[in-house]
Amino acid sequence: MSNGPAGHGARSIDRPNSETSTRGRDVPFRTFLRTADGVTIDSVYNPGTVVYDSSRPPARRPAFVVAHGFTGDADRPHVRRVAGVLARYGAVVTFSFRGHGASGGRSTVGDQEVLDLAAAVEWARALGHARVATVGFSMGGSVVLRHAALYEGGTDAVVFVSAPARWYYRGTAPMRRLHWLVTRPEGRLVGRYGLRTRIHHRDWNPVPLSPVEAVPRIAPTPLLIVHGDRDGYFPLDHPRMLAAAAGDHGELWLEPGMGHAENAAEDALLARIGDWVVSRAG
């Protein structure tokens, strides 16, 4: 599993039963993207409702590319809810990481997933959006960090919610269960048949750039760190470590009463994130 980007050139592959037969940019549609390493990624485009500025045509609005957490996918209700709120502020691209949902390949739990995000960001720009922000949750948060660090100019603002600061963390019961799921053959069977997530059996080699190592390399791209004080996966030393690594170019929101990732992100918080992105990359 690679530590760096494997090139560009993602392209769209029309799905036979698309959400719409037109390729107009003012209506939602669905397609498969192909990553630089040849994996097909199920992806959805929503031009947005944009309550803050309805005068701007869809392609002139900022695009949010949403990176879901481990075992999520583009059709999960919590991902659709996130997309629905952010669509009030711009266009939204959602997709399923490799090994999740209808996408091909197998999950590498944050390593090669940077190529999936790169394909989705390139697609948003190919649709005409000059300003693109990435918004990642948990595993997806670690991916948006690495993407911004490895792809210079790839994104115009980065938001990560409930993301880890370092790899191999096992300090909480949920993370110990996750490591069992990923590292044990019986765990991977549970992932495949119980959680619709196909997990690769190989260890990382080399180990990818860690989130805390990635953060300083993002500057001067605007950076927002969001974390709940009741997160059951990653305690508060994780966001604080990330904020310290970000220095002056990062902003930290510690959310009282919030748990972990998409399910815990209330609509009001998502709206604040939408406002923040529009003010930085709109």
Side-chain angles (χ1 to χ4, degrees), residues 235-248:
L236 292 178
D237 64 308
H238 284 259
R240 286 170 175 154
M241 182 182 295
L242 292 166
D248 292 339

Side-chain angles (χ1 to χ4, degrees), residues 26-220:
D26 58 348
V27 293
F29 68 95
R30 191 167 198 150
T31 192
F32 282 111
L33 306 175
R34 190 178 298 279
T35 67
D37 64 340
V39 178
T40 53
I41 300 299
D42 185 26
S43 305
V44 182
Y45 174 74
N46 183 339
T49 55
V50 193
V51 297
Y52 78 93
D53 185 2
S54 59
S55 65
R56 299 172 74 179
R60 296 291 301 277
R61 301 166 186 166
F64 296 79
V65 179
V66 177
H68 63 75
F70 185 59
T71 74
D73 65 60
D75 290 324
R76 297 279 190 182
H78 54 274
V79 176
R80 300 305 339 138
R81 180 178 61 85
V82 169
V85 175
L86 295 180
R88 303 171 192 167
Y89 299 88
V92 180
V93 170
T94 50
F95 65 96
S96 298
F97 278 121
R98 62 184 61 203
H100 293 71
S103 291
R106 286 179 287 178
S107 174
T108 63
V109 200
D111 180 16
Q112 295 298 297
E113 282 76 7
V114 72
L115 302 176
D116 309 344
L117 179 63
V121 169
E122 288 179 26
W123 188 43
R125 295 206 186 276
L127 291 171
H129 295 283
R131 309 292 286 175
V132 177
T134 52
V135 182
F137 296 84
S138 193
M139 181 190 80
S142 69
V143 175
V144 301
L145 286 173
R146 286 183 57 236
H147 172 267
L150 297 172
Y151 290 79
E152 185 177 355
T155 186
D156 299 292
V158 179
V159 180
F160 55 97
V161 183
S162 306
R166 54 195 184 274
W167 301 136
Y168 303 114
Y169 178 73
R170 292 179 172 86
T172 58
M175 286 305 297
R176 289 190 288 274
R177 289 193 295 268
L178 187 146
H179 277 85
W180 174 84
L181 191 75
V182 170
T183 61
R184 303 285 294 181
E186 57 269 37
R188 292 191 291 272
L189 282 174
V190 171
R192 175 181 287 270
Y193 296 108
L195 300 172
R196 296 189 302 176
T197 304
R198 304 171 305 282
I199 305 165
H200 209 293
H201 67 279
R202 290 200 300 266
D203 292 336
W204 287 340
N205 185 22
V207 175
L209 188 72
S210 74
V212 74
E213 292 170 324
V215 163
R217 305 188 187 192
I218 292 172

